[in-house]
Amino acid sequence: MPKARPEPRRGRRPAPTWLKLDNAAKIYPATRSSRWMAVFRLSVTLGEEIDRALLQQALVSTLKRIPSFGYRLRRGLFWYYLDSHGGQPAIQEDAANPLTGFDLKQNDHFMFRVRVHHSRIALELFHALADATGAMTFLMTLAAE
C-alpha cells in the first residue's frame, strides 16, 4: 500500500523563536550607548483624526502580519541576536523632541515606538531592527489596517 502524501500546510509558518542579526545590523547594538542610539523616524499624515484604540488594534494586527517587528534585542555569549517577544507595544503621544534615543527596558524591550499626534502616525525605530524599506512597509501596513 503506497504511503499517503502529507497534506500541505495551510496558512503561515510560525515565526522562529530567535533570529540572527544580518551583517548590516550587527554594528548598531555594539555602538549604542546611553547617550546615542541609531534611531530614525518615518511618518504618515492621514486625512482625519486618529482613534488611538483603533490604532492599537491595527498595531496588534500588523505585528501578526509582520512578526519580525515583535522581536527584542538580546545579548548572546559573543554576539547580539533577536529573541521573540510576546507582549504588545503601546501607542505613545508624539513628543516635542522626536528621535531621542530610547531605553529598550523602558519601552518594554521593543525596538520601535509608534507615536500619534492628531492625524499623524510616526514610527521611530532602532536601526538594528530594520532599514528604511522595512520600516516603510511596516508603517504603510499599519496605516492601511
Side-chain angles (χ1 to χ4, degrees), residues 95-108:
N97 54 347
L99 289 177
T100 56
F102 50 93
D103 184 14
L104 295 176
K105 289 179 185 173
Q106 289 179 349
N107 199 38
D108 197 22

Side-chain angles (χ1 to χ4, degrees), residues 45-60:
T45 303
L46 304 177
E48 59 187 47
E49 192 82 13
I50 295 168
D51 180 6
R52 291 177 68 124
L54 192 59
L55 183 62
Q56 184 67 45
Q57 290 175 358
L59 182 57
V60 170

Side-chain angles (χ1 to χ4, degrees), residues 27-122:
I27 191 72
Y28 296 109
T31 59
R32 75 183 170 104
S33 69
S34 61
R35 294 176 21 160
W36 183 83
M37 188 174 187
V39 176
F40 68 99
R41 175 181 169 117
L42 297 172
S43 66
V44 61
T45 303
L46 304 177
E48 59 187 47
E49 192 82 13
I50 295 168
D51 180 6
R52 291 177 68 124
L54 192 59
L55 183 62
Q56 184 67 45
Q57 290 175 358
L59 182 57
V60 170
S61 176
T62 302
L63 278 173
K64 287 178 183 174
R65 291 181 67 183
I66 307 174
S68 61
F69 274 69
Y71 285 81
R72 60 184 168 182
L73 186 66
R74 299 301 286 260
R75 184 180 208 132
L77 189 58
F78 298 109
W79 61 86
Y80 288 92
Y81 65 96
L82 299 177
D83 188 27
S84 65
H85 189 301
Q88 296 296 329
I91 303 294
Q92 301 175 11
E93 186 63 35
D94 206 359
N97 54 347
L99 289 177
T100 56
F102 50 93
D103 184 14
L104 295 176
K105 289 179 185 173
Q106 289 179 349
N107 199 38
D108 197 22
H109 296 281
F110 283 100
M111 293 186 285
F112 72 95
R113 57 186 168 206
V114 177
R115 291 183 157 179
V116 177
H117 183 70
H118 297 295
S119 62
R120 182 180 61 229
I121 303 170

Side-chain angles (χ1 to χ4, degrees), residues 3-11 13:
K3 290 185 178 181
R5 290 186 184 179
E7 189 173 320
R9 292 184 354 185
R10 293 196 167 99
R13 292 186 311 185

